[in-house]
Amino acid sequence: MKKVTKAAVATGAAVLLLIGSGTTLAYWNDTANLSGQSAITAGNLKLTATATPTWKVKHTTGIEEAVPNIAALRIVPGDVLTYTFPATVTAEGKNLRFEVGLANGAITAGSAAAAATALATQLQRSASFAVTGATVVPGHPTWFDHKSNTSATYNTTITATITWPFAGTPAADNPAKLGKVNLSDFTLTVTQIDGSLT
């Protein structure tokens, strides 16, 4: 075998040896800076009260009356409490969907007494909401869409209705007699939800 051929075979074997040994081979590469790029900025979701919230009460067939001091009110089955919260909602985000609701602990038993727990349970399960002034998602009166990178502020009124049904049962209602519910932390919230929900 000629020397040139032997050298070529030896070189080929060396290359195979390098590849098989896990040694990194260097290839040509290049980089380029992408001009015109900027930072990514998060949007916003904020709820701000614009006036003092108010309470009203109405019995089954009665007239709705203002409640100047909610702590002094003594409710009975058949009463409907209405909490009205004038506010602004500031929203910013291309795909922002949010929901109005009660914060955790908004309606809590005022003590460890069984009557307090029974009353809180009755009122917690009945809370419902109505909202005006924002873009409501059809079929979901407490969901809103804001589909813009531009910030917008919605003037809105959020109404929470708490009902103690008159059509209950003695077994459910009697344990709540003299019960006390703490509403000192009664708080409405706006919370982002999954925009794909329907």
Side-chain angles (χ1 to χ4, degrees):
M1 185 180 294
K2 295 183 179 180
K3 291 183 178 181
V4 175
T5 304
K6 289 181 179 179
V9 171
T11 301
V15 170
L16 290 174
L17 181 62
L18 284 174
I19 293 175
S21 67
T23 303
T24 302
L25 295 176
Y27 296 97
W28 281 359
N29 62 21
D30 195 8
T31 61
N33 292 327
L34 301 178
S35 61
Q37 306 307 303
S38 186
I40 297 174
T41 304
N44 188 26
L45 180 60
K46 184 178 181 180
L47 178 65
T48 306
T50 56
T52 302
T54 59
W55 284 97
K56 292 183 179 180
V57 64
K58 181 176 67 173
H59 195 60
T60 308
T61 58
I63 298 172
E64 192 172 55
E65 300 177 8
V67 179
N69 181 7
I70 191 66
L73 180 66
R74 300 295 180 262
I75 63 173
V76 299
D79 282 346
V80 177
L81 292 172
T82 303
Y83 179 80
T84 302
F85 184 78
T88 59
V89 177
T90 301
E92 182 178 7
K94 180 62 178 174
N95 294 292
L96 180 58
R97 174 170 288 179
F98 55 96
E99 180 178 19
V100 173
L102 279 180
N104 290 332
I107 303 173
T108 58
S111 70
T117 300
L119 181 58
T121 300
Q122 286 281 15
L123 301 185
Q124 287 168 353
R125 67 164 61 107
S126 72
S128 61
F129 304 92
V131 188
T132 60
T135 306
V136 178
V137 177
H140 299 280
T142 60
W143 293 9
F144 301 91
D145 277 341
H146 177 83
K147 303 293 186 181
S148 174
N149 289 319
T150 302
S151 177
T153 298
Y154 302 95
N155 293 311
T156 184
T157 298
I158 303 171
T159 303
T161 302
I162 303 172
T163 304
W164 189 351
F166 188 75
T169 64
D173 292 333
N174 284 340
K177 290 179 182 178
L178 298 179
K180 182 178 181 180
V181 168
N182 182 10
L183 297 176
S184 61
D185 292 324
F186 194 87
T187 305
L188 296 174
T189 63
V190 287
T191 305
Q192 184 189 4
I193 58 176
D194 187 348
S196 67
L197 296 176
T198 57

